[in-house]
Coordinates of all heavy atoms in Angstrom, one line a residue:
Q181 N -1.0 1.5 -9.4 CA -2.3 2.1 -9.3 C -3.4 1.3 -9.9 O -4.5 1.1 -9.3 CB -2.3 3.5 -10.0 CG -1.6 4.5 -9.2 CD -1.4 5.8 -9.9 OE1 -1.2 5.9 -11.1 NE2 -1.4 6.9 -9.2
R182 N -3.1 0.6 -11.0 CA -4.1 -0.3 -11.7 C -4.4 -1.5 -10.8 O -5.5 -1.9 -10.6 CB -3.6 -0.8 -13.0 CG -4.5 -0.6 -14.1 CD -4.0 -1.1 -15.5 NE -2.8 -2.0 -15.4 CZ -1.8 -2.0 -16.2 NH1 -1.7 -1.1 -17.2 NH2 -0.8 -2.8 -16.0
L183 N -3.3 -2.0 -10.2 CA -3.5 -3.1 -9.3 C -4.3 -2.8 -8.0 O -5.1 -3.5 -7.5 CB -2.1 -3.7 -8.8 CG -1.5 -4.7 -9.7 CD1 -0.1 -5.1 -9.1 CD2 -2.4 -6.0 -9.8
Q184 N -4.0 -1.6 -7.5 CA -4.7 -1.1 -6.3 C -6.2 -1.0 -6.5 O -7.0 -1.2 -5.6 CB -4.1 0.2 -5.8 CG -4.6 0.7 -4.5 CD -5.7 1.7 -4.6 OE1 -5.9 2.4 -5.5 NE2 -6.5 1.7 -3.6
Q185 N -6.6 -0.6 -7.7 CA -8.0 -0.5 -8.1 C -8.7 -1.9 -8.0 O -9.8 -2.0 -7.6 CB -8.2 0.2 -9.5 CG -7.9 1.6 -9.5 CD -7.9 2.2 -10.8 OE1 -8.0 1.5 -11.9 NE2 -7.8 3.5 -10.9
A186 N -7.9 -2.9 -8.5 CA -8.5 -4.2 -8.5 C -8.4 -4.9 -7.1 O -9.2 -5.8 -6.8 CB -7.7 -5.1 -9.5
Y187 N -7.4 -4.6 -6.3 CA -7.2 -5.3 -5.1 C -6.9 -4.2 -4.0 O -5.8 -4.1 -3.4 CB -6.0 -6.2 -5.1 CG -6.1 -7.3 -6.2 CD1 -5.5 -7.1 -7.5 CD2 -6.9 -8.4 -6.0 CE1 -5.7 -8.0 -8.5 CE2 -7.1 -9.3 -7.0 CZ -6.5 -9.1 -8.2 OH -6.6 -10.1 -9.2
P188 N -8.0 -3.4 -3.6 CA -7.8 -2.3 -2.7 C -7.5 -2.7 -1.2 O -7.1 -1.9 -0.5 CB -9.1 -1.6 -2.8 CG -10.1 -2.6 -3.2 CD -9.3 -3.5 -4.1
Q189 N -7.7 -4.0 -0.9 CA -7.5 -4.4 0.5 C -6.3 -5.4 0.6 O -6.1 -6.0 1.7 CB -8.7 -5.1 1.0 CG -9.9 -4.2 1.1 CD -9.7 -2.9 2.0 OE1 -9.2 -3.1 3.1 NE2 -10.0 -1.8 1.5
D190 N -5.5 -5.5 -0.4 CA -4.3 -6.4 -0.4 C -3.1 -5.6 0.1 O -2.6 -4.7 -0.5 CB -4.0 -7.0 -1.8 CG -2.8 -7.9 -1.8 OD1 -2.8 -8.8 -0.9 OD2 -1.9 -7.6 -2.5
P191 N -2.5 -6.0 1.3 CA -1.4 -5.2 1.8 C -0.2 -5.2 0.9 O 0.5 -4.2 0.8 CB -1.1 -5.8 3.2 CG -1.8 -7.2 3.1 CD -2.9 -7.1 2.2
R192 N 0.1 -6.3 0.2 CA 1.3 -6.3 -0.7 C 1.1 -5.3 -1.9 O 2.0 -4.7 -2.3 CB 1.6 -7.7 -1.2 CG 2.1 -8.6 0.0 CD 2.5 -10.0 -0.5 NE 2.8 -10.8 0.6 CZ 3.9 -10.8 1.3 NH1 4.9 -10.0 1.0 NH2 4.1 -11.6 2.3
T193 N -0.2 -5.3 -2.4 CA -0.4 -4.4 -3.5 C -0.3 -2.9 -3.0 O 0.3 -2.1 -3.7 CB -1.9 -4.6 -4.0 OG1 -2.0 -6.0 -4.5 CG2 -2.3 -3.6 -5.0
I194 N -0.8 -2.6 -1.8 CA -0.7 -1.2 -1.3 C 0.7 -0.9 -1.0 O 1.2 0.2 -1.2 CB -1.7 -1.0 -0.1 CG1 -3.1 -1.5 -0.4 CG2 -1.6 0.4 0.4 CD1 -3.7 -0.9 -1.7
D195 N 1.5 -1.9 -0.5 CA 2.9 -1.6 -0.2 C 3.6 -1.3 -1.5 O 4.5 -0.4 -1.5 CB 3.4 -2.9 0.5 CG 4.9 -2.8 0.9 OD1 5.4 -1.7 1.3 OD2 5.6 -3.8 0.9
G196 N 3.3 -2.1 -2.5 CA 4.0 -1.8 -3.8 C 3.6 -0.4 -4.3 O 4.5 0.3 -4.9
L197 N 2.4 0.0 -4.1 CA 2.0 1.3 -4.6 C 2.8 2.4 -3.8 O 3.3 3.4 -4.3 CB 0.5 1.5 -4.3 CG -0.1 2.9 -4.6 CD1 0.2 3.4 -6.1 CD2 -1.6 3.0 -4.3
A198 N 3.0 2.2 -2.5 CA 3.7 3.1 -1.7 C 5.2 3.2 -2.2 O 5.8 4.3 -2.3 CB 3.7 2.7 -0.2
A199 N 5.8 2.0 -2.5 CA 7.1 2.0 -3.0 C 7.2 2.8 -4.3 O 8.2 3.5 -4.5 CB 7.6 0.6 -3.2
A200 N 6.3 2.6 -5.2 CA 6.3 3.3 -6.5 C 6.1 4.8 -6.3 O 6.7 5.6 -7.0 CB 5.1 2.8 -7.4
L201 N 5.2 5.2 -5.3 CA 5.0 6.6 -5.1 C 6.3 7.2 -4.5 O 6.7 8.3 -4.9 CB 3.9 6.8 -4.0 CG 2.5 6.6 -4.6 CD1 1.5 6.4 -3.4 CD2 2.1 7.8 -5.4
A202 N 7.0 6.5 -3.7 CA 8.3 7.0 -3.1 C 9.4 7.1 -4.2 O 10.0 8.1 -4.3 CB 8.8 6.1 -2.0
E203 N 9.4 6.1 -5.1 CA 10.4 6.2 -6.2 C 10.1 7.4 -7.1 O 11.0 8.0 -7.7 CB 10.4 4.9 -6.9 CG 11.4 4.8 -8.1 CD 12.8 5.0 -7.7 OE1 13.2 4.7 -6.5 OE2 13.6 5.5 -8.5
S204 N 8.8 7.7 -7.2 CA 8.4 8.9 -8.0 C 8.5 10.2 -7.3 O 8.2 11.3 -7.9 CB 6.9 8.7 -8.5 OG 6.8 7.5 -9.3
G205 N 8.9 10.2 -6.0 CA 9.2 11.4 -5.3 C 8.0 11.9 -4.5 O 8.1 13.0 -3.9
D206 N 6.9 11.2 -4.5 CA 5.7 11.6 -3.7 C 5.7 11.0 -2.4 O 5.0 10.0 -2.1 CB 4.4 11.3 -4.5 CG 3.2 11.9 -4.0 OD1 3.2 12.3 -2.8 OD2 2.1 11.9 -4.7
F207 N 6.5 11.5 -1.5 CA 6.7 10.8 -0.1 C 5.5 11.0 0.8 O 5.3 10.1 1.6 CB 8.0 11.4 0.5 CG 9.2 11.0 -0.3 CD1 9.9 11.9 -1.1 CD2 9.7 9.7 -0.3 CE1 11.0 11.5 -1.9 CE2 10.8 9.3 -1.0 CZ 11.4 10.2 -1.8
A208 N 4.7 12.1 0.6 CA 3.6 12.2 1.5 C 2.5 11.1 1.2 O 2.0 10.5 2.1 CB 2.9 13.6 1.3
R209 N 2.3 10.9 -0.1 CA 1.3 9.8 -0.5 C 2.0 8.4 -0.2 O 1.2 7.5 0.2 CB 0.9 10.0 -1.9 CG -0.1 11.1 -2.1 CD -0.6 11.3 -3.5 NE -1.2 10.1 -4.0 CZ -1.1 9.8 -5.3 NH1 -0.5 10.5 -6.2 NH2 -1.7 8.6 -5.7
A210 N 3.3 8.3 -0.4 CA 3.9 7.0 -0.1 C 3.8 6.7 1.4 O 3.5 5.5 1.7 CB 5.4 7.1 -0.5
T211 N 3.9 7.7 2.2 CA 3.7 7.4 3.7 C 2.3 7.0 4.0 O 2.1 6.1 4.8 CB 4.2 8.7 4.4 OG1 5.5 9.0 4.1 CG2 4.0 8.5 5.9
S212 N 1.4 7.8 3.4 CA 0.0 7.5 3.6 C -0.4 6.1 3.2 O -1.1 5.3 3.9 CB -0.9 8.5 2.9 OG -2.3 8.2 3.0
R213 N 0.0 5.7 2.0 CA -0.3 4.4 1.4 C 0.4 3.3 2.2 O -0.1 2.2 2.5 CB 0.0 4.3 0.0 CG -0.8 5.2 -0.9 CD -2.3 5.3 -0.7 NE -2.9 3.9 -0.7 CZ -4.1 3.7 -0.2 NH1 -4.8 4.6 0.3 NH2 -4.5 2.4 -0.1
G214 N 1.6 3.6 2.6 CA 2.4 2.6 3.4 C 1.7 2.4 4.8 O 1.7 1.3 5.2
Q215 N 1.2 3.4 5.3 CA 0.5 3.3 6.6 C -0.7 2.4 6.4 O -1.0 1.5 7.3 CB 0.1 4.7 7.2 CG -0.5 4.6 8.6 CD 0.6 4.1 9.6 OE1 1.7 4.5 9.6 NE2 0.1 3.2 10.4
S216 N -1.4 2.6 5.3 CA -2.6 1.7 5.0 C -2.2 0.3 4.9 O -2.9 -0.6 5.4 CB -3.3 2.2 3.8 OG -3.8 3.5 3.9
A217 N -1.1 0.1 4.1 CA -0.6 -1.3 3.9 C -0.2 -1.9 5.3 O -0.5 -3.1 5.5 CB 0.6 -1.3 3.0
L218 N 0.4 -1.1 6.1 CA 0.8 -1.6 7.5 C -0.4 -2.1 8.2 O -0.4 -3.2 8.8 CB 1.6 -0.6 8.2 CG 2.0 -0.9 9.7 CD1 2.9 -2.1 9.7 CD2 2.7 0.3 10.3
E219 N -1.5 -1.3 8.3 CA -2.7 -1.6 9.0 C -3.3 -2.9 8.4 O -3.8 -3.7 9.2 CB -3.7 -0.4 9.0 CG -3.1 0.7 9.8 CD -3.9 2.0 9.5 OE1 -5.0 2.0 8.9 OE2 -3.4 3.1 9.9
L220 N -3.3 -3.0 7.1 CA -3.9 -4.2 6.4 C -3.1 -5.4 6.8 O -3.7 -6.5 7.0 CB -4.0 -4.0 4.9 CG -5.0 -3.0 4.4 CD1 -4.8 -2.7 2.9 CD2 -6.4 -3.6 4.6
A221 N -1.8 -5.3 6.8 CA -1.0 -6.5 7.1 C -1.2 -6.9 8.6 O -1.3 -8.1 8.8 CB 0.5 -6.1 6.9
R222 N -1.3 -5.9 9.4 CA -1.5 -6.2 10.9 C -2.9 -6.9 11.0 O -3.0 -7.9 11.8 CB -1.4 -5.0 11.7 CG 0.0 -4.5 11.9 CD 0.0 -3.3 12.8 NE 1.4 -2.8 13.0 CZ 1.7 -1.6 13.4 NH1 0.8 -0.7 13.5 NH2 3.0 -1.3 13.6
R223 N -3.9 -6.4 10.4 CA -5.2 -7.0 10.5 C -5.2 -8.4 10.0 O -5.9 -9.3 10.5 CB -6.2 -6.2 9.7 CG -7.1 -5.3 10.6 CD -8.2 -4.7 9.9 NE -7.8 -3.3 9.5 CZ -8.1 -2.7 8.4 NH1 -8.9 -3.2 7.5 NH2 -7.6 -1.5 8.1
A224 N -4.4 -8.7 8.9 CA -4.4 -10.0 8.3 C -3.5 -11.0 9.2 O -3.4 -12.1 8.9 CB -3.8 -9.9 6.9
G225 N -2.8 -10.4 10.2 CA -1.9 -11.2 11.0 C -0.6 -11.5 10.4 O 0.2 -12.4 10.9
D226 N -0.2 -10.8 9.3 CA 1.1 -11.0 8.7 C 2.1 -10.1 9.3 O 2.4 -9.0 8.8 CB 0.9 -10.7 7.2 CG 2.1 -11.2 6.3 OD1 3.2 -11.4 6.9 OD2 1.9 -11.4 5.1
L227 N 2.6 -10.5 10.4 CA 3.5 -9.7 11.2 C 4.9 -9.5 10.5 O 5.5 -8.4 10.6 CB 3.7 -10.2 12.6 CG 2.4 -10.3 13.4 CD1 2.7 -10.9 14.8 CD2 1.7 -9.0 13.5
A228 N 5.3 -10.5 9.7 CA 6.6 -10.4 9.0 C 6.5 -9.3 7.9 O 7.4 -8.4 7.8 CB 7.0 -11.7 8.3

């Protein structure tokens, strides 16, 4: 969460936030943040 505040448009940061949310059991927010990370990665052209 601290990283996300500093780097709100970084797909790897948002992906990590989604993973942490899922590990904490908050799957609704993990899915939402994961979807945001996916869109950011696609926009950046990072298909892998």
